[in-house]
Amino acid sequence: MSINMISGGDGRPEVDDLEGENEWTQLARKHWAKSVKTRKVKPDVIKKEVWDVLENEGFQYRSLLILENLQLLENYLLPGYTETSTNYHVLLIALIATVKNRENLRVWDVFSDDGERFPSIFRRVLSLSLDTSLSVVIKTHILSFLISAFQSLDNGLIRKECAPLVSISIWQNLASEAARERRFEHHPQLKKAWRAAGKRYQSGDEDKQAKLRFDRAWLYSLLLDFVGRLQESGTENLVYCERFLEFLTDLESQLPTRRYVTTLIKDMNLLALVRLSSIFNGEENGLFRDLFVLLRHFVNFPIDDNTGTQHTKVQSYEEHCARLARLQRASLKNFKGKLTILALSNYAAMDKRAELEVLLEPLDDAELAELSDLLGFRTTYPPSAKVKVGRDLLLEILLSSHERRRTFRESMRDLSILPTEAALYEPTLLRNEYYNGSRSLAIPKLNLQYLSVGDFLWRSFVLYRCESFFEIRKNMEETIKRLQPQQAQLPNSVRFDGFSRMAIPISKPAIIEAAPPKVGRDRPAFVRAEIGLDVSRLAESVRREWETLRQDDVVYLLAVDPIDSSRDLTNGHAAHASSRDFGLRHLRAAEVEQVLDDDGRVIREIPGAETNGYTRKPRLRRLIVKLDTAAWKFDIERKVEGKPDVYESLNVVVRRKGRENNFNKTLETIRSLALSDIPVPDWLQEVFLGYGDPSSATYTNLPNSLNELDFRDTFLDWPHLVESLNDQAVEPNPGHDQDIKPPFVLEGITTTSTEPTRSSKKRRRDDSEVSQSVRKSIKVSTYQPPDNGPYAMDTPRVNKVRFTPTQVEAIMSGTQPGLTVIIGPPGTGKTDVATQIINNIYHDFPSQRTLLIAHSNQALNQLFQKITKLDIDERHLLRLGHGEEDLDTDVSYSKHGRVESFLDNRGPYLAEVSRLAADLGAPGAHGNSCETAGYFNSVYIIPAWSKFWDTANTAEVSTLDVTTSFPFHQYFSTAPQPLFPPEATKEQMLGIARGCQRHMNRIFTELEDIRPFEILRTSRDKANYLLIKEARIIAMTSTHAAIRRQEISNLGFHYDNVIMEEAAQITEIENFIPLALQNPKDGQLPLQRVVLCGDHLQNSPIVQNLAFRQFANLEQSLFLRFVRLGVPTINLDHQGRARPSIAELYKWRYPKLENLPNVLTAPEYLRANAGFRYEYQLIDVPDYKGKGEAQPTPHFFQNLGEAEYTAAIYQYMRLLGYPASKISILTTYAGQMALIRDVLGHRCAKNKLFGLPRIVTTVDKYQGEQNDYIILSLVRTSRVGYLRDIRRLTVALSRARLGLYVLGRRSVFETCYELREAFANLFQRPNKLSLTTGEMFPASRKLDDDVEATEMAGVEHLGQYVYEITKAKVESLKAGGKPLPAIEETPESLRMDVEDEGEGMVGEAMEDEEEEEPAEDIDGIV
């Protein structure tokens, strides 16, 4: 029986396996398929026809996958389970649940619908985990089931069963009563919990006591069984032991599960037992040793398990010293003759393993045992553990307990963030690459909870480094493969027969300077080198890419050898891959300082070298780089030892694309945050770590929540206010009419709890109890908005969106201090909500600054463009990063663009000052500078206004006197006249005067703000001043925040609020870094608000490597974790994007989602789609020319039939008059995207009738976007693939507003359990494309009108139909003497970029295609 499960490739079931005549499908049809009327579970069927077959074939993963896909669990095992079901029944449930978890499916949702059965099933699985009669393979599967359970403690059903297994009652198994008492001495409150556990046991009946005895003994029994297996051999036993270490690591990595488990593990001396085991010392068991190191890290993590407080460096050292002092006292008192030296040694002389071992050497075995007893260590074990307590074990216990341990911060500090060939090909990293779920991995997981902020940063650092190195290794291998290194004629030389635009062959780099080490360091401060690049043969576009390398960009210096083609490779990799297998002898990383031309000038400073219209072609470029100092030190030491000089052999320089090459700055940021022990704001700390009351960070539970807020233009009118707060008592303040008008100031908007917040433990015991709250009556007042001036430009811009009640709730929460989590399903306007929150904060808290974060430049720009349309002064807006150039605005909001804007505004404002001075007859050059303007204001303007107000505010002054005494009639003569209407009242006139004063004040305020830019000389100083002083709303991507964190925080940048768009698409560490872009003040980050907007039911962060995505859970976002923890969320519940019928396709994911009035009444939503019978349809695409899906290269899936069908539908729509800009083409795979682009480029790009659609892209890249009409290609024809993750399909189905046409293979998707809801409506319509004739865009037909339709038999039928329409249209145009229409221009930012996309990929899928000779004048018709 083999533990190795088949995975990937041909081992995975396809459609034929689920619909064919194999034994499993026949069994399903007979016993649990939909057609079976009575699904009675028969024990013989489970034992003989399922279990025995699986057991005989070694529980092959392919068979388990087939059974999971055939819904054995949902339709047979779970409904048929009873208390009397056999153990085989229970084991099969655990097996299939494990398969679901390995496939990254939501396994516990299946059990949530059947809460009564689950406790019984889980208890029986626990019992079976201790059954010694089961094979180790089955026990490994059970252990995987339990690991999944303990990783899902957010599920109440799971938590209820798992919590008793790790409670304080497990301390019943400690070695002695004294061991328990020592724990109670440190934490007296634990004794109370211990007594309570004893009382529960004593008060229970016989069954209750039996359950409690099992609970407290279960983990101890598992540990004893594991210890007994440590000396056994065999692969299956090894895999079980690896899984068990993973299980213990999971328990230790979360505070609720480690609180009592750590004590038991230390009491059993488990780490010492593992270290001395034969498995640990087996040469080939590297994974087991790595897992042990990870477990040891968490067991010894410096934290108080009871309080959850992380120990400081000083506290950890004091604790270490206390252990040594205890050892010295015991030695001096009981072994004075033999251990005098130990007892009198200083701590530094005895806290290293080797030195301590020498000091303990005088003791014999009996004395070592006695010393261990005196120190409280266990020295006896039950026989089942098979432990021999000898000298080696006793010595290991003493050494491991008293040696000085490296802290996780010290480990992080010493880890290099720049790769070498050794780091890239570490066995640990290579194991991650080949992960398929069958074995554990020695990498930390991102859990629901973290031990501390430092623990979270350490895990993130390790995982981010692993993922970055994985991607770098892939890039290097691909580049070397393209270069085709061959042995040259000269010895020890290499020639390159291939080409890669990302690499240039070089001669050895010249070392320019190696600076002396800084104080306290053992490596050079920097090592500078020069690399010559021969660019004479490069195309201009490629040369430009090399010339535009920026400072701090990382390049890679490679020593490449010819590849040995005789070496056997497995799936592209050797069984034990090393860098030499790919021709990579050495790799060193370097950071770019400058790019120079032939003459040594910086490239960016070179003027155009054009003479008489001729441009000289460059031949040489020089890179000035800083080498990796850690690698340099290591290489120099090797050279001193007589080994070859690495730098002499470097012969290739490689670069990577910009966005994927930011890893070093991000790693530096994570490490600096961990080493500086950056705090999380007190009000957010517990929620961030996952403990305490999840609602404690919301404004209703914070002491600084605001009872009164001005919501300005949030509400459009009084009825809007009342309907938005329909569950509140809303009434005007005394003195206001019932029908008051906005702006509204709301008083009494906080919630007061009628009882104190309960502890997390009590809350979790009874989730059904909800703290009762009482809302105060909300009082509403209003005010007259101030007149900002007489000019049109002075009129403030106001919100025109009629927000829904849930949107208003989100805006109110986001405007208050605290944490706000907004879940925005597709089309529910979460960007509008975020924009209004920003607007409210900007006006209500003028001294506060807000940081805007999004994952992509596109999403950030959409948010920023909406902000620019609000009543926010543009001088307070700043956009950082390289996406600013894509902003569709007339003004530049980048740092340098803002500086230029300030200086550009200076001239017009000073001209206004000069005009004002002339009107007042004030002599002098007052408009010469901002400084002179300030003097003019203080000497002339302020006194003039003071004099006017002294007169105007006198009670007896008439309206005529007000007009006469106004001193600035001449200046405001350019304003709409009359400035003071004759019929105006005195109060109105005074209001007009105040507006004029505000207009003037704004000019001088602006000039005062511009004044520093007159004084500061360098553009860098001006830009930095703008960031830290002027800007109040600063926008950047999460990536920019990660790579620029140190630079930004060092400037003294501070902010009060963080608003994140697309928060569910950002990895957790990139969620965290924007919270820490500033340095703490008084030991705290001064954050007041954190607003997260996103949708965890759509795409998660994209992580390429399966190990990091599924095992380590690196795709987890902070947004998703908060949702899982139960943090209160605001769910937007009205969509205004799609037709109601299209919204039904994904509404099942959002049960409360309703439609806004616009999609019910607007004409475009009521009209049918011209030429189509249905507004949405799934078109079943059969094999095209005998082929379905193809895979020219790994993971590069294509489907030529669907690509041709997509092109034909697009051509059909264009012929009917649909605008190309209203059509987007989406697909689920990059390979299909490249193929569709190729087909469209061939058939449509140059044809005036068609042109190109708005965009052709993947579903993942289109999240957050929308278009009127979407054509979607699902690609797969053998199996569902990653679309089984329903989040991607939710994105795909929710992009269309008016029309959605899905191309796919029906038989593939209708067999998938997870997708049944998503495809239910699609399957109700015909499988063949239904078209109507005689219609042009836009249609006059209503959506519900009956109409005759023609079904297209296939792509050939549709292609012929399109051909005929095109021919008729061309002839019609010719007959009318009209030219063909111009190709519709596609926006530059949305054009299809085909460069490099399909290089060497499309041809294979299309090589058998026979093109039909097109008719004259009708190019590109299918």
Side-chain angles (χ1 to χ4, degrees):
M1 195 180 300
S2 172
I3 192 69
N4 294 321
M5 295 179 175
I6 297 175
S7 173
D10 297 332
R12 304 185 70 82
E14 300 184 353
V15 174
D16 292 342
D17 297 308
L18 306 179
E19 296 184 345
E21 297 300 324
N22 64 66
E23 57 183 329
W24 298 123
T25 55
Q26 291 181 31
L27 194 65
R29 291 192 193 105
K30 184 177 179 181
H31 296 287
W32 68 81
K34 291 181 180 179
S35 57
V36 179
K37 294 182 180 179
T38 56
R39 302 172 185 169
K40 185 177 180 181
V41 174
K42 300 177 181 178
D44 283 349
V45 172
I46 288 179
K47 174 63 171 69
K48 295 179 181 178
E49 298 189 50
V50 181
W51 181 265
D52 288 349
V53 176
L54 289 172
E55 190 173 35
N56 290 335
E57 65 180 27
F59 295 94
Q60 291 293 330
Y61 193 59
R62 176 186 174 82
S63 294
L64 292 172
L65 264 181
I66 292 174
L67 289 172
E68 190 277 323
N69 276 276
L70 292 172
Q71 302 172 30
L72 173 66
L73 177 63
E74 296 88 348
N75 293 345
Y76 194 64
L77 295 176
L78 201 55
Y81 173 81
T82 64
E83 295 282 351
T84 60
S85 295
T86 64
N87 284 342
Y88 298 109
H89 191 140
V90 177
L91 288 171
L92 280 173
I93 290 176
L95 276 175
I96 301 301
T98 302
V99 171
K100 280 185 172 291
N101 184 66
R102 182 168 158 183
E103 292 296 299
N104 207 28
L105 303 174
R106 297 178 62 86
V107 57
W108 304 116
D109 288 355
V110 180
F111 297 99
S112 297
D113 298 334
D114 203 344
E116 295 182 0
R117 287 191 178 96
F118 181 76
S120 172
I121 294 171
F122 193 80
R123 302 296 296 182
R124 291 188 63 177
V125 172
L126 293 176
S127 299
L128 289 168
S129 67
L130 303 176
D131 190 342
T132 56
S133 66
L134 294 178
S135 69
V136 68
V137 175
I138 299 306
K139 297 191 78 169
T140 304
H141 283 297
I142 293 175
L143 198 52
S144 297
F145 177 86
L146 295 172
I147 288 172
S148 175
F150 276 93
Q151 284 284 300
S152 306
L153 295 179
D154 54 311
N155 186 305
L157 205 61
I158 307 295
R159 187 170 60 246
K160 185 177 180 181
E161 301 303 321
C162 290
L165 303 174
V166 291
S167 68
I168 197 171
S169 62
I170 66 174
W171 282 8
Q172 191 76 35
N173 304 291
L174 298 184
S176 63
E177 187 72 28
R180 265 194 308 275
E181 290 300 324
R182 280 195 297 272
R183 292 294 297 166
F184 295 153
E185 287 174 9
H186 288 91
H187 298 288
Q189 66 271 30
L190 293 178
K191 194 156 192 173
K192 183 178 179 181
W194 174 256
R195 288 171 179 166
K199 289 180 180 178
R200 281 197 302 273
Y201 178 81
Q202 296 296 335
S203 63
D205 56 22
E206 188 174 341
D207 291 340
K208 180 69 171 177
Q209 289 184 350
K211 180 182 182 299
L212 293 174
R213 282 196 301 273
F214 177 87
D215 288 345
R216 71 191 186 194
W218 175 77
L219 181 58
Y220 181 64
S221 302
L222 271 184
L223 287 167
L224 291 177
D225 177 70
F226 168 69
V227 170
R229 293 178 181 278
L230 287 174
Q231 306 302 332
E232 298 179 8
S233 59
T235 302
E236 294 171 358
N237 183 68
L238 171 64
V239 173
Y240 175 84
C241 291
E242 290 169 351
R243 280 287 182 207
F244 197 83
L245 287 183
E246 179 194 343
F247 173 62
L248 291 180
T249 302
D250 285 352
L251 294 182
E252 287 292 299
S253 63
Q254 298 189 93
L255 191 60
T257 53
R258 76 171 272 137
R259 180 167 280 123
Y260 306 114
V261 171
T262 304
T263 301
L264 181 60
I265 287 176
K266 290 182 176 179
D267 177 79
M268 292 184 67
N269 305 311
L270 189 70
L271 296 179
L273 291 169
V274 172
R275 184 163 183 164
L276 294 176
S277 67
S278 60
I279 291 182
F280 181 89
N281 292 289
E283 184 178 349
E284 69 282 0
N285 299 336
L287 174 58
F288 185 84
R289 286 189 290 274
D290 290 342
L291 285 164
F292 166 78
V293 171
L294 188 60
L295 174 62
R296 183 178 61 188
H297 162 84
F298 281 111
V299 170
N300 295 325
F301 193 85
I303 191 173
D304 186 317
D305 291 332
N306 188 55
T307 63
T309 305
Q310 181 177 313
H311 294 161
T312 64
K313 184 178 180 179
V314 173
Q315 288 174 323
S316 297
Y317 184 69
E318 289 176 348
E319 195 174 284
H320 167 68
C321 293
R323 289 195 298 269
L324 292 177
R326 191 160 169 260
L327 171 63
Q328 287 183 319
R329 287 195 298 269
S331 301
L332 187 63
K333 181 177 180 180
N334 299 282
F335 306 98
K336 185 175 182 180
K338 293 186 176 182
L339 298 182
T340 302
I341 297 177
L342 184 152
L344 299 179
S345 296
N346 61 58
Y347 294 152
M350 58 181 289
D351 65 357
K352 296 181 178 61
R353 174 176 282 263
E355 295 166 350
L356 185 56
E357 187 173 1
V358 172
L359 293 172
L360 291 172
E361 192 173 347
L363 297 182
D364 59 27
D365 294 358
E367 289 169 330
L368 271 178
E370 183 183 353
L371 178 61
S372 298
D373 282 332
L374 289 170
L375 293 173
F377 294 111
R378 181 193 287 262
T379 55
T380 59
Y381 292 86
S384 60
K386 305 174 187 176
V387 175
K388 295 180 181 179
V389 181
R391 184 179 183 83
D392 289 344
L393 177 59
L394 294 170
L395 200 57
E396 177 61 31
I397 292 171
L398 291 170
L399 293 177
S400 60
S401 299
H402 296 92
E403 67 180 335
R404 177 77 180 272
R405 305 173 188 130
R406 282 169 58 83
T407 67
F408 71 91
R409 290 192 178 94
E410 291 171 337
S411 300
M412 288 178 69
R413 187 186 60 206
D414 294 339
L415 268 177
S416 173
I417 60 176
L418 292 175
T420 64
E421 76 284 353
L424 293 183
Y425 287 88
E426 285 180 1
T428 302
L429 291 181
L430 294 178
R431 282 194 293 268
N432 299 338
E433 183 173 343
Y434 305 122
Y435 174 76
N436 60 22
S438 62
R439 300 282 288 266
S440 297
L441 290 176
I443 52 178
K445 300 177 182 177
L446 297 185
N447 290 341
L448 195 64
Q449 301 164 316
Y450 299 108
L451 303 180
S452 67
V453 175
D455 171 45
F456 161 71
L457 291 169
W458 175 82
R459 298 191 210 191
S460 300
F461 180 84
V462 171
L463 291 175
Y464 196 94
R465 180 176 181 269
C466 287
E467 188 200 18
S468 299
F469 282 14
F470 162 78
E471 292 175 352
I472 291 170
R473 185 173 72 250
K474 287 299 180 189
N475 287 154
M476 297 304 111
E477 291 173 0
E478 178 64 25
T479 299
I480 293 173
K481 180 181 177 183
R482 288 177 178 269
L483 287 175
Q484 300 175 26
Q486 303 293 331
Q487 181 64 54
Q489 293 181 352
L490 295 175
N492 300 323
S493 61
V494 182
R495 75 172 191 272
F496 297 98
D497 293 346
F499 170 77
S500 171
R501 68 188 302 145
M502 310 304 289
I504 297 178
I506 60 171
S507 57
K508 67 176 183 180
I511 307 302
I512 300 175
E513 180 184 7
K518 294 182 179 179
V519 176
R521 303 305 298 268
D522 61 351
R523 64 184 68 166
F526 62 84
V527 179
R528 186 174 287 118
E530 181 182 301
I531 305 167
L533 306 180
D534 181 2
V535 298
S536 60
R537 298 183 180 182
L538 298 181
E540 183 177 358
S541 61
V542 179
R543 176 174 56 81
R544 289 292 183 192
E545 291 173 5
W546 283 95
E547 291 175 345
T548 53
L549 284 172
R550 298 191 300 269
Q551 186 177 3
D552 296 331
D553 279 354
V554 179
V555 294
Y556 307 87
L557 309 178
L558 279 54
V560 177
D561 291 332
I563 298 176
D564 182 4
S565 58
S566 63
R567 181 182 294 271
D568 292 332
L569 296 181
T570 304
N571 191 26
H573 293 276
H576 301 284
S578 69
S579 61
R580 295 296 182 99
D581 297 330
F582 304 96
L584 179 60
R585 194 194 326 165
H586 299 297
L587 180 145
R588 295 294 179 264
E591 295 181 349
V592 174
E593 278 196 339
Q594 289 180 323
V595 184
L596 309 178
D597 72 346
D598 313 51
D599 302 321
R601 295 178 300 176
V602 178
I603 291 291
R604 296 176 186 274
E605 298 174 1
I606 299 176
E610 184 174 306
T611 305
N612 295 327
Y614 171 75
T615 303
R616 180 170 59 89
K617 186 172 183 180
R619 298 185 58 82
L620 180 68
R621 292 290 182 254
R622 287 184 286 171
L623 286 182
I624 306 299
V625 299
K626 291 187 295 185
L627 299 177
D628 179 3
T629 55
W632 167 265
K633 176 177 177 291
F634 175 76
D635 294 334
I636 293 301
E637 291 173 350
R638 291 178 76 251
K639 186 177 179 181
V640 171
E641 295 171 0
K643 295 180 180 177
D645 186 350
V646 170
Y647 299 92
E648 293 284 341
S649 62
L650 299 175
N651 55 8
V652 174
V653 60
V654 180
R655 62 184 174 87
R656 299 172 71 214
K657 294 180 180 177
R659 185 175 177 85
E660 63 191 22
N661 205 33
N662 294 322
F663 72 97
N664 59 322
K665 292 298 181 184
T666 303
L667 286 172
E668 282 181 3
T669 293
I670 300 172
R671 183 162 63 183
S672 67
L673 288 172
L675 295 180
S676 63
D677 199 17
I678 198 79
V680 173
D682 281 345
W683 57 270
L684 188 60
Q685 172 95 10
E686 284 200 350
V687 174
F688 178 81
L689 294 178
Y691 309 120
D693 182 1
S695 65
S696 61
T698 56
Y699 78 93
T700 55
N701 293 320
L702 292 179
N704 63 335
S705 61
L706 303 171
N707 193 47
E708 180 178 317
L709 270 174
D710 181 357
F711 284 93
R712 301 182 59 82
D713 55 356
T714 302
F715 305 100
L716 303 187
D717 48 43
W718 177 260
H720 183 205
L721 172 65
V722 173
E723 70 187 35
S724 298
L725 305 175
N726 52 16
D727 59 339
Q728 308 297 318
V730 181
E731 54 188 47
N733 257 333
H736 288 86
D737 297 334
Q738 188 66 241
D739 187 23
I740 61 178
K741 300 186 182 305
F744 296 129
V745 178
L746 273 58
E747 182 182 350
I749 52 179
T750 55
T751 305
T752 304
S753 178
T754 60
E755 59 181 72
T757 303
R758 293 175 295 160
S759 68
S760 172
K761 186 173 180 182
K762 184 174 182 181
R763 177 181 54 78
R764 286 179 173 176
R765 284 182 185 165
D766 189 0
D767 287 337
S768 63
E769 295 182 22
V770 180
S771 177
Q772 297 296 316
S773 316
V774 174
R775 292 270 187 178
K776 296 179 180 178
S777 174
I778 294 180
K779 302 293 185 181
V780 183
S781 58
T782 188
Y783 59 90
Q784 179 63 39
D787 189 329
N788 287 326
Y791 296 96
M793 62 188 303
D794 296 323
T795 304
R797 288 163 289 190
V798 296
N799 163 60
K800 297 179 181 178
V801 178
R802 195 174 189 86
F803 293 111
T804 67
T806 51
Q807 287 177 321
V808 168
E809 182 186 357
I811 293 168
M812 293 177 70
S813 177
T815 308
Q816 287 274 9
L819 172 66
T820 300
V821 180
I822 303 170
I823 298 177
T828 52
K830 59 180 178 292
T831 303
D832 290 326
V833 169
T835 304
Q836 189 62 29
I837 292 173
I838 294 164
N839 190 37
N840 288 350
I841 293 173
Y842 176 84
H843 289 286
D844 289 350
F845 309 98
S847 63
Q848 293 187 11
R849 313 177 80 202
T850 301
L851 183 65
L852 305 185
I853 299 292
H855 172 63
S856 66
N857 280 309
Q858 192 172 9
L860 192 60
N861 288 344
Q862 287 177 353
L863 179 61
F864 209 71
Q865 284 165 6
K866 290 195 174 186
I867 292 171
T868 60
K869 297 176 182 177
L870 297 176
D871 186 28
I872 293 176
D873 195 328
E874 67 177 35
R875 64 198 172 99
H876 292 145
L877 298 175
L878 179 62
R879 169 74 165 85
L880 299 182
H882 291 281
E884 190 274 337
E885 54 266 22
D886 296 328
L887 270 173
D888 185 19
T889 58
D890 297 329
V891 182
S892 174
Y893 291 96
S894 68
K895 278 199 295 187
H896 297 291
R898 290 283 79 220
V899 170
E900 291 172 3
S901 176
F902 269 86
L903 296 176
D904 288 344
N905 291 339
R906 174 177 175 271
Y909 285 136
L910 290 176
E912 289 295 298
V913 173
S914 298
R915 186 167 70 87
L916 185 56
D919 293 342
L920 294 178
H926 301 293
N928 190 48
S929 68
C930 296
E931 184 178 9
T932 58
Y935 290 139
F936 173 70
N937 183 42
S938 59
V939 173
Y940 289 94
I941 303 303
I942 294 177
W945 278 113
S946 298
K947 182 178 179 181
F948 168 75
W949 289 118
D950 288 343
T951 303
N953 288 329
T954 306
E956 59 273 12
V957 171
S958 66
T959 57
L960 180 61
D961 294 334
V962 171
T963 305
T964 304
S965 62
F966 185 72
F968 302 107
H969 281 289
Q970 180 65 28
Y971 176 75
F972 286 105
S973 62
T974 56
Q977 297 298 320
L979 185 63
F980 296 98
E983 68 278 6
T985 64
K986 177 182 176 182
E987 191 58 39
Q988 289 173 334
M989 286 189 172
L990 293 179
I992 293 170
R994 292 189 190 97
C996 292
Q997 186 176 16
R998 289 190 186 95
H999 178 85
M1000 274 192 185
N1001 288 345
R1002 186 159 55 250
I1003 292 174
F1004 289 104
T1005 302
E1006 291 262 7
L1007 287 170
E1008 187 62 28
D1009 289 341
I1010 296 171
R1011 184 177 176 184
F1013 297 98
E1014 285 186 337
I1015 300 171
L1016 296 170
R1017 290 300 169 212
T1018 68
S1019 59
R1020 185 181 185 88
D1021 288 342
K1022 293 176 182 178
N1024 290 338
Y1025 179 85
L1026 175 71
L1027 174 63
I1028 63 177
K1029 292 294 185 182
E1030 281 297 326
R1032 287 179 51 197
I1033 298 174
I1034 303 97
M1036 67 184 80
T1037 64
S1038 56
T1039 302
H1040 187 85
I1043 64 179
R1044 298 295 181 192
R1045 187 264 165 191
Q1046 196 67 42
E1047 177 185 334
I1048 292 173
S1049 63
N1050 287 345
L1051 290 173
F1053 176 63
H1054 73 277
Y1055 53 97
D1056 307 274
N1057 316 297
V1058 175
I1059 297 178
M1060 290 193 199
E1061 177 71 297
E1062 289 184 329
Q1065 280 189 276
I1066 306 175
T1067 59
E1068 193 160 7
I1069 185 61
E1070 290 184 322
N1071 281 131
F1072 176 81
I1073 290 174
L1075 305 182
L1077 281 184
Q1078 57 188 328
N1079 294 320
K1081 292 182 179 179
D1082 301 324
Q1084 288 291 320
L1085 290 178
L1087 274 182
Q1088 296 196 33
R1089 293 172 186 79
V1090 176
V1091 180
L1092 303 180
C1093 305
D1095 183 6
H1096 60 294
L1097 299 180
Q1098 297 186 61
N1099 281 344
S1100 61
I1102 297 174
V1103 179
Q1104 298 294 342
N1105 186 279
L1106 185 67
F1108 305 128
R1109 185 170 68 248
Q1110 291 189 8
F1111 183 87
N1113 202 22
L1114 188 56
E1115 68 173 1
Q1116 173 175 274
S1117 65
L1118 182 64
F1119 186 95
L1120 173 61
R1121 189 163 69 87
F1122 278 170
V1123 172
R1124 291 181 62 197
L1125 284 168
V1127 171
T1129 61
I1130 300 170
N1131 298 269
L1132 306 184
D1133 55 6
H1134 283 75
Q1135 71 89 21
R1137 171 188 295 171
R1139 296 184 192 270
S1141 56
I1142 293 178
E1144 287 292 328
L1145 298 175
Y1146 52 88
K1147 185 180 175 181
W1148 66 277
R1149 292 283 276 166
Y1150 311 96
K1152 296 182 180 180
L1153 186 63
E1154 301 295 337
N1155 299 302
L1156 287 171
N1158 69 300
V1159 299
L1160 301 174
T1161 59
E1164 61 178 343
Y1165 291 100
L1166 301 179
R1167 281 196 302 263
N1169 293 340
F1172 293 93
R1173 171 64 183 89
Y1174 302 106
E1175 73 281 4
Y1176 69 84
Q1177 193 176 2
L1178 171 67
I1179 300 103
D1180 190 17
V1181 182
D1183 287 352
Y1184 181 67
K1185 297 186 178 180
K1187 287 186 178 180
E1189 69 179 51
Q1191 194 176 176
T1193 58
H1195 313 297
F1196 199 79
F1197 288 98
Q1198 297 180 329
N1199 186 320
L1200 185 57
E1202 289 188 16
E1204 293 284 9
Y1205 219 133
T1206 299
I1209 293 177
Y1210 171 71
Q1211 289 176 312
Y1212 174 71
M1213 295 178 73
R1214 292 290 289 128
L1215 290 169
L1216 297 189
Y1218 286 86
S1221 60
K1222 300 294 186 183
I1223 305 170
S1224 293
I1225 296 177
L1226 307 183
T1227 181
T1228 51
Y1229 288 91
Q1232 184 72 352
M1233 176 186 68
L1235 181 57
I1236 292 174
R1237 287 179 172 181
D1238 188 80
V1239 173
L1240 289 174
H1242 176 71
R1243 303 198 188 286
C1244 302
K1246 297 180 181 180
N1247 191 306
K1248 294 183 178 181
L1249 285 178
F1250 305 123
L1252 293 176
R1254 179 182 180 187
I1255 195 169
V1256 178
T1257 188
T1258 60
V1259 171
D1260 288 349
K1261 291 183 178 180
Y1262 207 62
Q1263 179 164 338
E1265 295 294 306
Q1266 65 183 34
N1267 208 348
D1268 287 359
Y1269 306 96
I1270 299 292
I1271 305 172
L1272 172 64
S1273 171
L1274 300 180
V1275 185
R1276 302 303 298 273
T1277 58
S1278 62
R1279 52 180 174 268
V1280 174
Y1282 71 64
L1283 264 187
R1284 199 168 184 190
D1285 182 348
I1286 195 63
R1287 294 174 297 184
R1288 275 192 173 90
L1289 191 62
T1290 302
V1291 175
L1293 297 179
S1294 58
R1295 300 305 96 197
R1297 296 179 63 247
L1298 304 176
L1300 173 65
Y1301 301 97
V1302 184
L1303 303 168
R1305 185 67 58 88
R1306 173 169 180 156
S1307 58
V1308 171
F1309 297 98
E1310 66 183 351
T1311 59
C1312 183
Y1313 174 78
E1314 287 75 22
L1315 304 183
R1316 67 192 188 285
E1317 296 277 1
F1319 281 89
N1321 288 347
L1322 288 168
F1323 287 156
Q1324 292 177 8
R1325 293 187 171 176
N1327 294 337
K1328 295 181 180 180
L1329 181 63
S1330 298
L1331 303 181
T1332 60
T1333 58
E1335 291 183 326
M1336 293 296 289
F1337 177 88
S1340 57
R1341 171 170 55 94
K1342 297 298 183 185
L1343 188 62
D1344 297 331
D1345 291 349
D1346 289 331
V1347 64
E1348 281 193 32
T1350 302
E1351 289 189 349
M1352 296 292 103
V1355 64
E1356 295 87 353
H1357 188 186
L1358 179 60
Q1360 182 62 34
Y1361 185 44
V1362 170
Y1363 174 83
E1364 292 170 359
I1365 298 176
T1366 309
K1367 187 175 180 180
K1369 186 161 188 174
V1370 170
E1371 291 175 353
S1372 173
L1373 289 170
K1374 284 184 176 181
K1378 296 180 181 179
L1380 289 176
I1383 298 177
E1384 184 174 342
E1385 187 70 18
T1386 304
E1388 187 68 32
S1389 61
L1390 299 173
R1391 285 180 183 168
M1392 300 184 303
D1393 179 13
V1394 298
E1395 184 177 2
D1396 287 338
E1397 288 286 354
E1399 182 178 345
M1401 299 173 181
V1402 178
E1404 183 172 344
M1406 299 186 64
E1407 62 186 6
D1408 294 328
E1409 181 185 358
E1410 296 178 6
E1411 296 182 359
E1412 195 175 89
E1413 186 68 18
E1416 185 178 358
D1417 293 329
I1418 316 177
D1419 293 337
I1421 305 305
V1422 178

